[in-house]
Amino acid sequence: MATTTNQVFIAVIGAGGVGKCFLSQLSALATRRPTPKLNLCYISSSKKAVFNSDYSVGFENALQELASSSKSPLSLPQVADYLAAAPSKAVLVDNTSSQDVADAYPLFLSRGISIVTPNKKAFSGSYKLWQDIFTAASTSGAKVYHESSVGAGLPVISTLKDLVDTGDEVTKIEGVFSGTMSFLFNSFAPVEGAGGQWSAEVKKAKELGYTEPDPRDDLNGLDVARKLTILARLAGLPVESPTSFPVQSLIPKELETVSTGDEFLEKLPQFDSQMEETKLAAEKQGKVVRFVGSIDIATKGVKVGLETFDKSHPIAALKGSDNIISFYTKRYGSNPLIIQGAGAGGEVTAMGVTGDLIKVLSQIA
Ligand SMILES: NC(=O)C1=CN([C@@H]2O[C@H](COP(=O)(O)OP(=O)(O)OC[C@H]3O[C@@H](n4cnc5c(N)ncnc54)[C@H](OP(=O)(O)O)[C@@H]3O)[C@@H](O)[C@H]2O)C=CC1
Ligand SMILES: N[C@@H](CC=O)C(=O)O
Ligand code: NA
């Protein structure tokens, strides 16, 4: 294939809830914006892949081709070699929640391959990985964007970066950072009415595509802890890891050792009384319980867990999978900058990924 600067090659790893929505948004983007020409050149799930020597997979039938492919995925260094040899600039879109893929970002970036992703693992793993990623990007000039790693498509990361880059001083960030937890508490402990059964709502959250691939990663508080780690680091606090501050888990003690997410979901109904007690305790004070997080920059305090709220509080009144994130800063004073809206779901998450891709294209093509 002839080299041309007016095209960009795109590899997509992960074709689950978010990945499928991203592919459909990518296909529409390629039709809407003919320049630069977007070439899908690689797509993989954990077991299968589609790619070829002329770097043209084609958008229309990519998912069907993936389902019927007999090719195994390339190893991550092989994907990096393949993309580095593409006839023009390349972007890796990581739609997995894989730590292995995240650990390979410095390799991709050092080879000039830009990255867009909703995967939190790279930015909330060790602080060394965080430094390696941004060092590799600034050395090679490749771009890395991860808007959907916090608040799905909501403009949370771009807003925080703008606050910091324009010289504002962020003092506190707080709110509801999990679409799953928001959905669970809004439906299990609503401001009005009885609410559903805890374990049944957990199953619904998974069916709606809000949970992590394993819903225990939401219920143990770690998903919110990862998001707070990312935000704290962007705000200037070098938090070492998502387990370096207090995180409350909602996994019943008796289920801490079950081996699979499916077994966990099957056994969870036996422990519904535990969450019922928490809900009733809040109700006795005329309040509702919600799962929240906060970062206090001055005290370097980061915490994640349950709190009770008056029924008139904006956090109590959230609907569906909504997140609400308040930025307290020097400029905004005592009235925080607030971002609110759906914080989980395939389409809204893919929107953040596609938006990031458009930003990358405007800089590399
Ligand atoms: N769902 C949401 O609302 C939101 C999700 N996110 C993030 O988006 C990412 C994707 O989430 P979601 O789509 O819901 O998850 P899914 O479980 O639906 O999809 C994950 C996909 O990744 C694939 N995969 C996993 N590991 C690998 C690997 N090592 N190599 C190649 N493919 C792999 C899986 O393949 P296989 O099918 O073979 O297992 C599957 O196709 C996660 O990082 C999540 O945290 C962020 C914000 C919101
Ligand atoms: N499982 C996560 C998905 C988005 O990050 C959530 O529920 O918020
Ligand atoms: Na976001």
Side-chain angles (χ1 to χ4, degrees):
M1 192 180 274
T3 303
T4 158
T5 51
N6 221 9
Q7 57 178 340
V8 174
F9 290 85
I10 297 170
V12 178
I13 304 188
V18 175
K20 287 191 173 87
C21 294
F22 170 75
L23 280 169
S24 121
Q25 294 182 17
L26 177 65
S27 172
L29 177 70
T31 309
R32 244 187 356 262
R33 291 192 180 197
T35 316
K37 182 173 185 310
L38 302 180
N39 299 293
L40 182 64
C41 66
Y42 182 90
I43 174 165
S44 75
S45 63
S46 64
K47 295 179 192 70
K48 296 176 172 196
V50 183
F51 54 96
N52 52 46
S53 57
D54 65 2
Y55 290 86
S56 63
V57 170
F59 296 112
E60 292 72 27
N61 302 316
L63 287 171
Q64 292 92 312
E65 280 185 46
L66 181 63
S68 60
S69 174
S70 54
K71 281 185 181 162
S72 297
L74 296 171
S75 69
L76 292 163
Q78 285 171 330
V79 178
D81 286 344
Y82 175 73
L83 292 178
S88 186
K89 293 261 171 75
V91 180
L92 173 73
V93 183
D94 171 18
N95 286 322
T96 74
S97 59
S98 160
Q99 185 69 56
D100 290 344
V101 180
D103 288 343
Y105 289 1
L107 168 70
F108 283 95
L109 291 163
S110 67
R111 305 211 48 194
I113 299 154
S114 295
I115 294 175
V116 298
T117 184
N119 185 352
K120 290 150 234 173
K121 299 271 166 71
F123 311 97
S124 59
S126 73
Y127 196 65
K128 179 175 181 311
L129 178 58
W130 168 276
Q131 288 171 315
D132 288 350
I133 286 169
F134 292 104
T135 303
S138 68
T139 308
S140 73
K143 311 297 170 197
V144 53
Y145 281 87
H146 55 103
E147 180 57 81
S148 283
S149 64
V150 181
L154 296 176
V156 177
I157 289 187
S158 54
T159 301
L160 177 54
K161 279 189 181 165
D162 283 350
L163 288 168
V164 172
D165 289 348
T166 59
D168 200 352
E169 205 180 295
V170 179
T171 52
K172 193 167 66 169
I173 306 172
E174 64 181 20
V176 170
F177 297 85
S178 162
T180 297
M181 291 294 203
S182 185
F183 173 82
L184 290 178
F185 284 97
N186 299 340
S187 46
F188 161 75
V191 170
E192 277 171 16
Q197 185 197 5
W198 175 255
S199 56
E201 298 303 332
V202 173
K203 274 194 184 141
K204 261 190 235 165
K206 180 161 172 54
E207 281 157 18
L208 288 164
Y210 297 158
T211 67
E212 292 304 294
D214 184 336
R216 290 176 295 180
D217 289 338
D218 295 286
L219 293 179
N220 64 14
L222 204 52
D223 176 75
V224 174
R226 288 189 182 287
K227 291 165 178 163
L228 292 189
T229 299
I230 296 170
L231 295 181
R233 287 174 177 175
L234 289 171
L237 274 189
V239 170
E240 180 47 42
S241 81
T243 53
S244 60
F245 50 84
V247 177
Q248 184 177 0
S249 169
L250 304 187
I251 307 268
K253 276 241 163 312
E254 300 82 344
L255 296 183
E256 272 171 1
T257 52
V258 300
S259 52
T260 66
D262 287 343
E263 187 187 344
F264 170 77
L265 285 175
E266 201 181 293
K267 293 190 168 154
L268 190 58
Q270 296 168 35
F271 301 93
D272 276 342
S273 60
Q274 296 184 5
M275 285 307 296
E276 278 297 331
E277 277 170 29
T278 306
K279 172 173 148 176
L280 281 177
E283 272 174 10
K284 277 189 188 143
Q285 305 165 32
K287 297 187 176 193
V288 289
V289 64
R290 297 290 184 261
F291 198 83
V292 295
S294 65
I295 302 165
D296 188 309
I297 304 290
T299 64
K300 300 192 167 96
V302 186
K303 61 183 168 104
V304 173
L306 291 173
E307 284 183 25
T308 55
F309 292 87
D310 287 334
K311 292 182 176 176
S312 58
H313 194 285
I315 285 183
L318 290 178
K319 299 274 183 288
S321 71
D322 279 7
N323 286 183
I324 182 167
I325 294 160
S326 301
F327 290 106
Y328 288 85
T329 78
K330 204 168 173 190
R331 282 189 198 132
Y332 279 83
S334 54
N335 291 339
L337 186 168
I338 299 174
I339 297 171
Q340 180 176 344
E347 289 293 355
V348 295
T349 306
M351 170 265 193
V353 181
T354 309
D356 281 350
L357 176 65
I358 291 170
K359 288 187 184 125
V360 170
L361 294 175
S362 71
Q363 294 170 76
I364 67 169

